[in-house]
Amino acid sequence: KAGVTQTPRYLIKTRGQQVTLSCSPISGHRSVSWYQQTPGQGLQFLFEYFSETQRNKGNFPGRFSGRQFSNSRSEMNVSTLELGDSALYLCASSTGQMNEKLFFGSGTQLSVL
Amino acid sequence: AQRVTQPEKLLSVFKGAPVELKCNYSYSGSPELFWYVQYSRQRLQLLLRHISRESIKGFTADLNKGETSFHLKKPFAQEEDSAMYYCALNQGAQKLVFGQGTRLTINP
């Protein structure tokens, strides 16, 4: 079966703009979680959606938001971009059950100029 | 605060030598721990999880609650083991806290 698909692969934006990233989970998976990866901070949890509801949230400002659709696809939005938002954004899907393995996408590399 | 620490950023061993990647955690409850691996030009993927008590690609990891550790071990390293390894702690609802990672290089 097809893996987790993230689009676009690369994005270049300027400060103050907003951006939307997309994630299509593995067929049958109802949980989608998002992570930010930077050289300095490593992998940090943003939020997780299960059946269109946000179940958990990390320590990121309100500029970072997300949503999940009825087909389990998820989008992540960052408004008023800052230079520090430059990062690789990873999406992961799973069945949503406790301690189930996460399947990661290839990520979207966001550069904020 | 719940935290995962991987003290070694880089680890280099020779092929055939034993490998141990260290992971320490701080967590007040019963921890659920994982090792994820990222090979060159591949996606981050699960290597093993402690609840399964499985051995994947010759790697094992034992949870030591007394020492709050979950070190990853392999008795004989192979060149294809070269990768970035992340220890992770589950805080619930797919929220993983990752360590900073250890880059393992196996020298021929």
Side-chain angles (χ1 to χ4, degrees):
Chain A
K1 47 176 137 171
V4 178
T5 304
Q6 290 188 247
T7 56
R9 287 298 307 275
Y10 304 95
L11 265 177
I12 299 175
K13 293 285 185 179
T14 55
R15 278 181 298 173
Q17 287 187 310
Q18 75 163 18
V19 68
T20 299
L21 313 182
S22 180
C23 173
S24 292
I26 289 172
S27 178
H29 283 184
R30 296 164 66 190
S31 167
V32 173
S33 48
W34 290 88
Y35 289 82
Q36 182 196 65
Q37 186 175 27
T38 59
Q41 300 296 317
L43 280 153
Q44 292 186 286
F45 174 81
L46 281 153
F47 30 65
E48 186 252 0
Y49 287 87
F50 180 80
S51 293
E52 301 179 68
T53 300
Q54 188 181 86
R55 278 200 305 194
N56 215 332
K57 190 176 185 305
N59 297 322
F60 278 81
R63 301 186 296 108
F64 292 81
S65 62
R67 59 178 176 168
Q68 187 179 33
F69 302 96
S70 57
N71 62 357
S72 294
R73 189 177 70 86
S74 177
E75 286 182 348
M76 191 192 102
N77 186 273
V78 189
S79 62
T80 321
L81 283 166
E82 300 177 0
L83 295 179
D85 296 333
S86 295
L88 180 67
Y89 290 89
L90 291 172
C91 157
S93 80
S94 76
T95 61
Q97 295 179 21
M98 187 68 176
N99 295 316
E100 277 297 300
K101 66 189 282 188
L102 300 185
F103 292 82
F104 282 87
S106 299
T108 294
Q109 184 68 53
L110 172 64
S111 297
V112 182
L113 306 178
Chain B
Q2 292 147 355
R3 193 166 52 242
V4 174
T5 304
Q6 293 180 250
E8 303 137 329
K9 274 190 167 180
L10 302 170
L11 183 62
S12 183
V13 302
F14 285 101
K15 179 181 169 183
V19 173
E20 183 179 50
L21 289 90
K22 291 185 168 52
C23 172
N24 289 90
Y25 66 90
S26 61
Y27 188 66
S28 53
S30 238
E32 301 296 344
L33 289 151
F34 304 80
W35 277 99
Y36 278 82
V37 62
Q38 188 165 27
Y39 301 103
S40 178
R41 288 185 292 277
Q42 292 189 28
R43 304 173 181 204
L44 192 60
Q45 58 186 285
L46 179 70
L47 181 63
L48 56 80
R49 43 189 164 172
H50 97 272
I51 57 167
S52 305
R53 301 189 66 80
E54 56 203 341
S55 172
I56 305 294
K57 299 186 179 182
F59 284 98
T60 58
D62 289 318
L63 177 61
N64 186 323
K65 290 186 179 180
E67 295 183 359
T68 59
S69 69
F70 188 56
H71 302 329
L72 184 68
K73 299 177 185 179
K74 184 169 182 176
F76 307 103
Q78 298 172 293
E79 287 186 61
E80 54 264 34
D81 296 328
S82 293
M84 193 74 179
Y85 291 80
Y86 294 94
C87 183
L89 169 71
N90 191 348
Q91 290 192 309
Q94 321 308 70
K95 180 180 180 179
L96 294 181
V97 175
F98 283 89
Q100 291 284 47
T102 298
R103 183 169 296 283
L104 175 65
T105 302
I106 308 301
N107 300 305

